[in-house]
Amino acid sequence: MKYIWLIPLLPGIGAAINGLAGIRYFSRKAAGLLACAMMVGALGVSLAAVWQLLALPPEARAVDVVVAQWIPSIPLMTRGGAVGAFSVPWGFRLDPLSALMILVVTGIGTLIHVYSTAYMADEPRGGVARFFSYLNLFCFFMLMLVLGNNVLVMFVGWEGVGLCSYLLIGYWYEKKSASDAGKKAFITNRLGDWGFILGVFLIYYTFGTFDFRAIQNAAATMPFETAHFGVLSFICLFLFVGAIGKSAQIPLYVWLPDAMEGPTPVSALIHAATMVTAGVYMVGRNAVLFSHAPQVLMIVAIVGVLTAFMAASIGLVQYDIKRVLAYSTVSQLGYMFTAMGVGAFSAGAFHLMTHAFFKALLFLGSGSVIHAMAGEQDMRRMGGLKKHLPVTYATMMVGTLAIAGIPPFAGFFSKDEILFRAFLANKAIWVIAVATALMTAFYMFRLIYMTFDGAYRGPAWATAAHGAAQPHDDAGAGHGHGPWHGPHESPTPMTFALMALAVGAIVAGFVGIPAALGGGNAIEQFLEPSFTASAVHEAGRDSAGVDQAAQERETAPTVSRTTEIGLMGFSVLIAVGGILLAHKFYVASPEISDQLAERWAGAHRTLSHKYYVDELYDATVISGTFASGRGLWAFDRRVVDGAVNGTGWVTIISSWFSGLTDTHVVDGVVNLVGRACEEASFWFRKLQSGLVQNYALWMLAGIFAFVSIYLFVR
């Protein structure tokens, strides 16, 4: 485990080599092999480290590795008035939560890299190396985020994945919609990061440290802020603002659907399996803090369940296959935050893991469909594809059953755990979550039926015997495809990734079989130490020496085994109901969907325009920003520049007057004095005749004048 620093380093090396040399010198195959090899290496080190972690006793499963001293000791005042020694090591921590995350990032990341070698095969050689450099760089920062043992190391990874999302979403930067989507993601994330940074500052001011474990231990000794909004509540609220931006929750979710402008592997890696779950991971990493701020936890739960419901309702009417999955991602992230908000941190992390499998599978499956249809993404121009894409259809069906919550697929166990814990905590939240589950099953099977079932609705194609033909004007525009010969199954690297992820979507849930079904919920027991303080002071314990937060979770409301199984059965019935409705509307009687759209035209239009949120932002925030920018420019041009220019003119005019004064007054006086002296010297010069008798006469006149004045004055 002392070599866990290699886990982020290996993809970092791959990014550097491909970015510096691969763009110029590597073939497409070489660039892809290098990137995949680095991810396989990171996966191997991760598996070895997690295996060693599992060999330790549960209470000892937390290993810190300090690579170097990052920020040296600096005196800095904290909340108590003491001057602490501010220092930050560059350190990593492997514990159950980070172990789960590194397996998700490296495991699913490796499969997506393999998939990309075929999906991006038609891109320019340099573009492929650039793509894999960005992909490796993203994994480097994501692994840095989940392995960091203190807030600042996490923040480096947090900002890094934001940068990489901008680069990958805007990979096709010559396409305006892609470059705009990249900028939208970057700016929206910066809004959330404002809150995250405030939370980071307040953490050090309060605790005098950035180390996660030290923060958890210190927070465990503090009272629960149930009746007031104290410093812990503000810290958690600021951190949650950061999570809202990164994990696409209301009101900062708008960037994620537009992020589908990037290549499909980007959608699978960043916007399904890893980056968007960073906010969920961050809340879980600070579970003790959030547990002591119940008012903020309620905010988390409300924002999460409303986001889940809103995004699911939008997904009901989308026709772009990737946008349906994008809104599904936003909805499932809402589920994860709902779990965190009701205190079910293990359930949220469990759903994060299962969601990574089935959502990456669904995104890569959609990429296989787009590949088969030469870039087409509109489901209305598909249909009947299951005979052309049997592997893609079978694997996507597995992913769809998983996300719908059908047993025994992975999504059933994690989603049911969230619904169960929501039922115990707040019945209103549970009702909204169940309604969301119904819509999820409906719109996901709507996607399956519109894409794979029914009659083929896409463009016609000529067979190879009659010569290849382009199906329509923009066919092949997806990512550099050549002539199109009709729908076809994807190459082996793509189908291999789909099959591997399908296996994960089937078996990943078995680690969380609840006690009601005869299991031990192993994932919850494994993760629990990460959500509690490892060592708390006596002030934070009751008379029996139990951590307050852990005690509260243990004394949470419970129900009988029969009730729990009944709730499971109800959630399965809800999912089956959604599936049957989708079959009725899009297979058995497809005219019903059109009739409903006409009958409820206003609601349909509202959902199609995504509740007009983007339009609202355009009319307020964006237009207001541009208007304020124009106003500031006008103020600068007319007031600031006017003041500067006016000062210049005043200076010019005053200098002109100064010149006149200097020329005619100052110089005139000087010249007058000189002229007077010159004239006086002329007359005085005449008195110097050289005759002694004249001098004697002037002397006599002077004596006479002196004596006369004297006698007169007297």
Side-chain angles (χ1 to χ4, degrees), residues 389-406:
L389 290 79
V391 176
T392 300
Y393 170 69
T395 53
M396 284 194 74
M397 179 60 76
V398 169
T400 305
L401 289 168
I403 194 174
I406 301 297

Side-chain angles (χ1 to χ4, degrees), residues 71-365:
I71 300 177
S73 182
I74 302 171
L76 200 64
M77 183 172 291
T78 59
R79 184 185 176 202
V83 178
F86 170 74
S87 62
V88 182
W90 195 273
F92 301 112
R93 170 170 290 131
L94 186 66
D95 67 353
L97 183 58
S98 59
L100 176 72
M101 292 300 297
I102 62 174
L103 291 180
V104 168
V105 176
T106 58
I108 294 179
T110 298
L111 292 174
I112 292 173
H113 276 70
V114 172
Y115 177 99
S116 300
T117 58
Y119 189 85
M120 304 297 289
D122 293 326
E123 289 295 308
R125 181 192 58 78
V128 171
R130 177 168 60 90
F131 175 81
F132 279 111
S133 176
Y134 292 165
L135 219 57
N136 269 179
L137 186 65
F138 169 81
C139 291
F140 165 77
F141 280 120
M142 189 67 200
L143 290 166
M144 194 75 67
L145 188 156
V146 300
L147 280 172
N149 71 347
N150 61 73
V151 179
L152 289 191
V153 174
M154 170 190 269
F155 187 69
V156 171
W158 186 276
E159 291 298 298
V161 294
L163 169 65
C164 292
S165 69
Y166 165 75
L167 296 173
L168 285 165
I169 294 168
Y171 170 76
W172 288 311
Y173 57 86
E174 294 180 349
K175 188 167 68 168
K176 187 176 186 304
S177 59
S179 61
D180 287 347
K183 289 182 286 187
K184 186 175 184 179
F186 191 81
I187 294 170
T188 306
N189 274 269
R190 296 291 74 71
L191 295 176
D193 293 348
W194 163 82
F196 190 90
I197 292 172
L198 291 179
V200 170
F201 291 159
L202 198 52
I203 282 174
Y204 186 83
Y205 180 68
T206 303
F207 299 107
T209 181
F210 284 123
D211 184 83
F212 284 121
R213 183 55 66 187
I215 294 169
Q216 301 258 78
N217 292 342
T221 66
M222 301 175 71
F224 287 84
E225 296 179 348
T226 54
H228 67 289
F229 211 84
V231 64
L232 294 183
S233 297
F234 277 109
I235 290 174
C236 294
L237 184 62
F238 286 138
L239 293 179
F240 182 55
V241 170
I244 285 174
K246 193 67 70 182
S247 294
Q249 298 296 286
I250 293 174
L252 300 180
Y253 71 93
V254 291
W255 67 270
L256 196 146
D258 288 357
M260 298 304 109
E261 291 291 340
T264 300
V266 173
S267 304
L269 179 63
I270 296 182
H271 308 118
T274 52
M275 173 186 149
V276 292
T277 60
V280 181
Y281 168 80
M282 185 267 291
V283 173
R285 176 55 75 194
N286 294 283
V288 176
L289 274 176
F290 279 86
S291 295
H292 283 66
Q295 296 179 73
V296 178
L297 274 185
M298 181 53 64
I299 294 173
V300 173
I302 292 172
V303 170
V305 76
L306 291 180
T307 301
F309 183 87
M310 181 179 183
S313 64
I314 296 173
L316 295 173
V317 299
Q318 297 298 307
Y319 291 106
D320 185 305
I321 188 171
K322 286 177 67 177
R323 284 189 177 268
V324 173
L325 296 176
Y327 282 105
S328 171
T329 299
V330 176
S331 182
Q332 295 302 307
L333 289 167
Y335 261 113
M336 297 175 206
F337 279 109
T338 302
M340 296 291 177
V342 298
F345 298 105
S346 295
F350 182 27
H351 195 60
L352 184 158
M353 184 263 287
T354 60
H355 174 263
F357 280 103
F358 59 69
K359 187 53 65 65
L361 168 61
L362 290 168
F363 264 116
L364 295 186

Side-chain angles (χ1 to χ4, degrees), residues 546-607:
V546 180
D547 179 10
Q548 291 178 6
Q551 184 186 44
E552 184 172 270
R553 282 193 290 273
E554 291 173 3
T555 58
T558 58
V559 296
S560 66
R561 181 173 179 270
T562 303
T563 303
E564 185 175 353
I565 293 177
L567 290 171
M568 289 182 192
F570 180 69
S571 67
V572 173
L573 286 176
I574 287 292
V576 171
I579 295 170
L580 294 177
L581 276 177
H583 186 273
K584 177 70 173 177
F585 288 1
Y586 293 97
V587 178
S589 305
E591 68 279 0
I592 295 178
S593 60
D594 295 330
Q595 293 170 359
L596 288 176
E598 293 177 5
R599 183 179 302 176
W600 302 94
H604 187 273
R605 187 164 48 251
T606 300
L607 294 177

